[in-house]
Amino acid sequence: MLPNLKLDATKVYFFIEFTASTFFAMMFVTMSLYEATVAGLTPVQLVLVGTTLEVSAFLFEVPTGVVADAYSRRLSIIIGYFLMGAGFLVEGFFSCLPANFIGADHLGIRLHLHQWSNAGVDLR
């Protein structure tokens, strides 16, 4: 790799936040369109998938905060992006309702891993 690569933390933070928010917004729209057309989910199933995302985000709010505070905020962010990618991949590869539930769970956990990690960021 690059052993002497020193990056400014502020620039890295802004780059990650900009790219993540842009690509997350695009993936969310694409995923919603995919679930409604290709996966063929009914309106009730779409509501259930959204509810699964919100319930998993609620249930994992405290454990993800513990990971971010007790272990490492950097580790929390890395795990969060890994789970986000895994959630999108599961939903993309398998067009069935259980896969959409699993993908929504991964995204719900990721949302709070990332939220708790950024709660303590100090750019001064």
Side-chain angles (χ1 to χ4, degrees):
M1 295 238 349
L2 303 170
N4 294 329
L5 183 64
K6 300 277 186 182
L7 298 173
D8 182 32
T10 305
K11 290 178 183 176
V12 170
Y13 174 78
F14 285 135
F15 174 76
I16 288 174
E17 286 301 309
F18 173 76
T19 55
S21 63
T22 302
F23 290 125
F24 185 72
M26 287 191 301
M27 267 316 286
F28 188 71
V29 170
T30 304
M31 183 181 65
S32 299
L33 185 63
Y34 169 80
E35 288 174 346
T37 57
V38 176
L41 298 181
T42 65
V44 173
Q45 291 172 333
L46 289 171
V47 169
L48 287 174
V49 169
T51 303
T52 303
L53 185 141
E54 296 300 328
V55 167
S56 68
F58 177 73
L59 291 177
F60 285 96
E61 185 166 354
V62 172
T64 56
V66 170
V67 169
D69 290 339
Y71 295 105
S72 169
R73 294 187 190 283
R74 182 179 294 170
L75 177 64
S76 181
I77 290 173
I78 291 169
I79 291 171
Y81 283 119
F82 177 75
L83 286 176
M84 180 177 65
F88 285 134
L89 285 175
V90 166
E91 286 195 45
F93 283 137
F94 307 104
S95 60
C96 60
L97 188 60
N100 287 319
F101 285 144
I102 293 169
D105 282 339
H106 283 70
L107 291 176
I109 296 168
R110 179 263 175 203
L111 290 173
H112 280 291
L113 278 167
H114 194 256
Q115 175 187 349
W116 280 105
S117 298
N118 283 338
V121 171
D122 186 14
L123 296 177
R124 286 182 268 150

